[in-house]
Amino acid sequence: MTQPDPSAVRIDAALPPDLLRAAVEALAHGIARPTLPGRDADAGISADYAERMKRDLTEGEGRLLESIAGTRERGLALCRTGRIHDGGSLVAHAREMLTRGKTSREAFVLADSFLRAAEGFVYFSSGRTDAAVSSMLLALDRCRELRDSWNYPVEGRRIHIACNTERVRVGAGHGQASSVALAQLLNLIDTADRRFWPHPHLEYASEPDLLDDEARWELTDQALAVLPRLDLEALDQVVAAFPWPNADATSPWAARARCFTEALHADASGDPETFLTSCAAFFPSGPQRLPRAFGSLSKRLLKVIG
C-alpha cells in the first residue's frame, strides 16, 4: 500500500502545533515500520473446506463444487474490473450448474453459501441494493446451517459477509441502522459474546468456532473500513455502542478500533484537538494490522492539515 509522505504536507498554523507535530510524527513512524507478512484468510478457509470435501463428499460432488467455484470466481473477477454483465453471467452460470447437479444437502449448502455471497456482490455492483442485502442474508443462513448440521468453521466468513452487508446498506443511505450493526460486529470480534451478533434470527444453535488473533485483526479492519462512509449522527451511535477501552482488559485490536472511531468522530464534529490526539495514538503501530483503516485515516489527516 502506497502511503503519503508526511514531510511533504503543508502545516496549517491554526491547528494546535504540539498536537499537530505529534500526529505527523506518529504517521511517519507508522509508515516506516517494517512490513509484516500477511496471512491469506481466504486461502486458509479454502484449504479447510477442500479437506472437508474430500472427506465428506463424493468424488463427483467434489468435482462439481470445484467447477462451480472456478466459474463463480471468474465471474467475480470480471465484476471487480467493471465488466458486470459478463461477470454476472458467469455467476448465473455457476448457479445453473448447482441447480442442475445432483448433490447431497451438505454439498448443496456448501456451494450455495458461497454463491449467495457472490450473487450479492453482483447485485451490489449493479446497484440493486435490496437484492444484494437479501442474497447476503441468505448466505448468512447457509453459514448457520453449515455450522449447526456439519460443524464447519464459518465464524470468520459470516462476520465478513455481515460487514459487507452493512457496506451495502450504508451505500444505500441506511447509515443509522448500519452504525448499530457495525458497533455490534466490532464488539463481537473483540469479545466473542453472542449477544453482539446483529442478526439473532440467523444465530447458531451450536457453539461457534473461535477466531484467532489474525482473523480478529482482519475482520476489525473490514468493519472499520465502512465507518468513514457514516455521517456524524451515525458515528455518534458507533462511539456510544462500542465501549471505551480498559487498559487492563481490552484487546489491542479493540483499542485501536476505538481510537480510529474517535478520530473519525472528532473530524466529523469539528474537534481538531481530539482528532490529532487520536491520530497520534493510532498511527505508531503502522498499517500492517489495519491497512484499510491506516490508509483512510492517513488521507484524512493530510486533508485536515493541508
Side-chain angles (χ1 to χ4, degrees):
M1 177 177 61
T2 301
Q3 295 292 342
D5 178 6
S7 65
V9 303
R10 179 174 59 83
I11 302 301
D12 187 340
L15 295 172
D18 291 343
L19 295 179
L20 183 59
R21 186 179 304 107
V24 173
E25 289 178 354
L27 175 58
H29 180 79
I31 292 172
R33 288 180 66 89
T35 301
L36 298 176
R39 189 191 68 171
D40 189 338
D42 289 338
I45 290 173
S46 297
D48 185 85
Y49 282 23
E51 183 178 342
R52 293 288 298 265
M53 287 166 58
K54 290 180 181 179
R55 187 187 72 192
D56 298 345
L57 307 183
T58 67
E59 184 176 345
E61 287 175 330
R63 287 197 301 268
L64 175 62
L65 265 61
E66 288 178 359
S67 181
I68 290 171
T71 303
R72 181 194 73 230
E73 290 305 309
R74 290 195 298 275
L76 288 174
L78 288 173
C79 287
R80 294 186 185 103
T81 64
R83 296 173 60 184
I84 299 170
H85 177 75
D86 293 339
S89 295
L90 277 177
V91 173
H93 180 58
R95 167 61 64 189
E96 292 173 3
M97 294 166 66
L98 180 59
T99 301
R100 293 196 307 264
K102 295 182 179 180
T103 63
S104 63
R105 179 66 182 176
E106 179 181 353
F108 175 84
V109 173
L110 180 57
D112 195 48
S113 70
F114 287 94
L115 263 178
R116 294 290 182 182
E119 288 162 345
F121 182 76
V122 174
Y123 291 139
F124 169 66
S125 300
S126 305
R128 299 173 60 187
T129 300
D130 290 344
V133 171
S134 295
S135 189
M136 290 176 179
L137 292 178
L138 286 169
L140 291 177
D141 192 45
R142 295 307 191 206
C143 288
R144 178 199 57 76
E145 187 172 355
L146 284 172
R147 184 63 182 175
D148 284 344
S149 298
W150 302 285
N151 201 37
Y152 275 79
V154 298
E155 182 70 355
R157 272 194 65 211
R158 75 170 189 161
I159 293 175
H160 164 72
I161 294 170
C163 289
N164 282 341
T165 302
E166 299 315 318
R167 177 186 172 201
V168 170
R169 285 175 166 157
V170 170
H174 304 303
Q176 295 301 312
S178 288
S179 63
V180 175
L182 287 164
Q184 288 175 315
L185 287 169
L186 287 167
N187 280 311
L188 174 63
I189 295 164
D190 181 32
T191 67
D193 188 329
R194 312 316 304 163
R195 293 174 298 173
F196 291 119
W197 174 240
H199 304 286
H201 63 295
L202 299 174
E203 181 57 283
Y204 309 123
S206 55
E207 288 295 316
D209 53 295
L210 298 178
L211 299 173
D212 62 23
D213 288 357
E214 288 294 326
R216 284 190 164 93
W217 279 114
E218 168 61 24
L219 293 169
T220 297
D221 199 34
Q222 290 181 23
L224 294 180
V226 187
L227 299 189
R229 302 167 181 260
L230 299 178
D231 61 21
L232 176 58
E233 187 176 353
L235 286 170
D236 282 339
Q237 292 181 302
V238 177
V239 171
F242 190 50
W244 288 93
N246 180 314
D248 296 326
T250 300
S251 62
W253 49 85
R256 289 196 77 200
R258 179 70 193 199
C259 192
F260 176 81
T261 303
E262 289 178 338
L264 293 184
H265 183 266
D267 185 38
S269 60
D271 180 358
E273 292 190 4
T274 300
F275 173 74
L276 293 173
T277 300
S278 297
C279 285
F282 179 85
F283 285 132
S285 297
Q288 289 83 6
R289 299 295 191 182
L290 300 175
R292 301 172 186 86
F294 191 95
S296 175
L297 196 57
S298 297
K299 293 176 182 177
R300 196 164 288 232
L301 173 63
L302 295 181
K303 181 179 179 181
V304 165
I305 66 180

